[in-house]
């Protein structure tokens, strides 16, 4: 039962371990949870809750931050 | 912050701070952070502009880390007031989504709300703008609404509870300057909330003329970032905004259609 599950992160199809939390996912992507905002299936997940939310097949995850803009 | 202009204080001595959504700002010039040749130039330009409010955009993190694109690595949020925008959004739904993400990423409840209606001109979709503004105001955002120079839209944005209304001088990134001073002046005269002109300024004279209309401030990005020397232009803009504001407060002389001599007409030789 090691099959990975397919999710979409920032528009890219990715395979992640089943049952991984959003916090673990950020760690796997080497992203600092303080430096990104996580949107999970269109819902913003605040930092303290990132460890509680598990990723399910087909989930859409957006990881955003501030860039230069006018 | 280094003060490059010794008479800056004089120029604004009798002025009150610009207060938006309950926060007071000393600088009436707000600047964007896009399109700079590099981050070091951007930082020096922002310093030279004297701006306190600095706009940023919300975008996807680069998962491959090919570039370090987070602007927060360069801008200290304790030193600058970071104003998230919803640039690039074409619907009210998208703009609300970006505003919420921006609030989560950021340090305040302010959002520069843009709902764009046309790709070529980047002119606002005022219907979508009003719709998004109403939703965000209900969610306790301080909404600074980027709009066109239409008075009725500006009044409706104010009625919707926007903290500031931001009419354009001319299209975003065009550098065409203030195309419709009359409309911008009218908006300023009729609104109670601050009016900050956003977009279209090309050079210092544009900024000066815009401030002379009596508006509360200017937001610009490309005029500085795309100048040949962005740091020098940032300084020019700071001087121009101060000069325009000072001239407005001073009250200009009336325009006349005929000449009126400055020197006495009496005492001339035979």
């Amino acid at each position: 039962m090691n099959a990975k599950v397919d999710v979409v992160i920032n528009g890219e199809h990715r395979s992640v371990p089943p049952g991984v939390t959003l916090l673990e996912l950020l760690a796997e992507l080497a992203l600092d949870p303080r430096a990104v905002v996580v949107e999970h299936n269109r819902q913003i997940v605040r930092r303290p809750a990132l460890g509680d939310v598990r990723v399910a097949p087909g989930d859409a995850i957006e990881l955003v931050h501030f860039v230069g803009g006018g | 912050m280094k003060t490059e202009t010794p008479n800056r204080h004089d120029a604004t001595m009798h002025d009150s701070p610009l207060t938006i959504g309950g926060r007071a700002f000393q600088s009436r010039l707000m600047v964007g952070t896009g399109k700079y040749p590099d981050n070091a130039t951007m930082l020096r330009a922002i310093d030279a502009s004297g701006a306190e409010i600095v706009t940023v955009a919300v975008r996807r993190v680069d998962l491959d880390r090919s570039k370090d694109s987070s602007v927060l690595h360069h801008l200290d949020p304790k030193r600058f007031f970071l104003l998230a925008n919803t640039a690039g959004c074409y619907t009210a739904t998208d703009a609300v989504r970006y505003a919420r993400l921006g609030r989560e990423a950021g340090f305040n409840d302010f959002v520069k709300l843009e709902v764009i209606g046309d790709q070529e001109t980047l002119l606002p979709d005022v219907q979508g703008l009003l719709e998004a503004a109403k939703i965000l105001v209900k969610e306790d955002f301080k909404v600074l609404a980027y709009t066109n120079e239409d008075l009725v839209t500006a009044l409706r944005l104010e009625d919707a509870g926007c903290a500031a209304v931001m009419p354009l001088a001319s299209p975003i990134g065009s550098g065409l300057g203030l195309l419709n001073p009359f409309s911008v002046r009218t908006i300023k005269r009729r609104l109670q909330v601050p009016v900050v002109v956003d977009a279209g300024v090309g050079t210092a004279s544009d900024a000066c003329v815009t401030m002379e209309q009596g508006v509360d401030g200017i937001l610009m990005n490309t005029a500085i970032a795309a100048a040949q020397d962005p740091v020098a232009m940032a300084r020019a803009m700071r001087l121009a905004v101060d000069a325009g504001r000072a001239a407005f407060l001073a009250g200009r002389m009336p325009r006349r259609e005929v000449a009126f001599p400055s020197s006495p007409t009496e005492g001339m030789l035979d």
Side-chain angles (χ1 to χ4, degrees):
Chain A
M1 291 302 285
N2 287 344
K4 293 204 164 189
V5 298
D6 291 330
V7 297
V8 180
I9 307 174
N10 285 6
E12 294 177 22
H13 290 275
R14 297 246 173 173
S15 295
V16 300
V20 72
T21 67
L22 291 172
L23 193 63
E24 289 161 353
L25 187 65
L26 290 181
E28 192 163 311
L29 294 166
L31 290 171
D32 181 350
R34 291 167 301 178
V36 295
V37 175
V38 181
E39 193 197 65
H40 178 239
N41 295 334
R42 294 276 180 148
Q43 293 292 315
I44 292 172
V45 180
R46 294 205 163 132
R47 208 169 300 138
L50 289 174
D52 303 331
V53 179
R54 291 187 189 281
V55 173
D59 279 0
I61 297 152
E62 295 286 350
L63 308 171
V64 302
H65 63 173
F66 281 150
V67 301
Chain B
M1 207 173 297
K2 196 173 80 172
T3 302
E4 291 185 17
T5 45
N7 54 0
R8 172 173 169 73
H9 182 68
D10 295 341
T12 54
M13 192 162 49
H14 304 296
D15 203 356
S16 48
L18 165 59
T19 303
I20 302 176
R23 288 207 49 155
F25 302 95
Q26 297 306 315
S27 173
R28 292 177 180 273
L29 173 56
M30 309 171 189
V31 296
T33 53
K35 295 190 278 196
Y36 278 94
D38 54 77
N39 285 314
T41 306
M42 174 186 80
L43 283 178
R44 286 171 49 230
I46 294 172
D47 262 355
S49 76
E52 294 165 86
I53 299 179
V54 172
T55 63
V56 291
V58 176
R59 290 293 181 270
R60 283 173 167 167
V61 169
D62 181 6
L63 294 179
D64 298 328
R65 299 321 211 2
S66 49
K67 53 184 193 267
D68 162 30
S69 55
S70 172
V71 79
L72 287 188
H73 293 154
H74 309 285
L75 284 175
D76 180 1
K78 290 189 195 78
R79 195 171 144 202
F80 298 107
F81 186 89
L82 297 181
L83 176 61
N85 71 26
T86 64
C89 292
Y90 280 78
T91 64
T93 308
D94 273 353
V96 168
R97 185 184 183 195
Y98 275 70
R100 289 173 181 155
L101 289 167
R103 174 153 72 177
E104 236 18 73
F107 308 88
N108 56 65
D109 296 334
F110 285 55
V111 62
K112 196 193 90 160
L113 181 62
E114 294 184 27
V115 181
I116 302 301
D118 177 63
Q119 269 188 332
E120 186 199 84
T121 58
L122 298 179
L123 288 173
D125 172 348
V126 297
Q127 199 176 329
L129 181 66
L130 272 162
E131 196 184 322
K134 286 174 187 164
I135 295 169
L136 293 171
V137 166
K138 259 190 214 146
E139 296 183 15
D140 296 324
F141 278 88
K142 304 284 193 300
V143 178
L144 288 73
Y146 163 71
T147 184
N148 58 27
E149 70 274 63
D150 175 59
L151 171 66
V152 177
T153 304
L155 288 168
R156 288 184 180 157
L157 288 165
E158 181 176 66
D159 283 348
C162 289
V165 172
M166 306 182 88
L168 53 82
S170 49
I172 295 171
S174 70
L176 291 175
L178 185 63
L179 296 181
N180 201 335
F182 166 76
S183 293
V184 166
R185 210 159 53 234
T186 307
I187 289 172
K188 174 56 200 166
R189 181 164 55 77
R190 294 287 301 277
L191 266 61
Q192 305 294 312
V193 296
V195 174
V196 177
V197 168
D198 176 14
V201 163
T203 188
S205 53
D206 298 334
C208 196
V209 168
T210 300
M211 289 306 293
E212 284 172 358
Q213 309 310 311
V215 298
D216 299 282
I218 303 182
L219 196 163
M220 64 178 77
N221 186 346
T222 312
I224 296 174
Q228 291 193 19
D229 183 340
V231 181
M233 186 57 88
R235 180 173 177 274
M237 290 301 188
R238 170 187 190 155
L239 295 169
V241 166
D242 277 354
R245 179 66 183 171
F248 168 73
L249 293 174
R252 61 153 297 149
M253 62 161 280
R255 285 187 167 85
R256 296 179 215 275
E257 295 292 320
V258 293
F260 194 82
S262 303
S263 306
T265 47
E266 287 165 15
M268 302 293 290
L269 306 181
D270 286 333

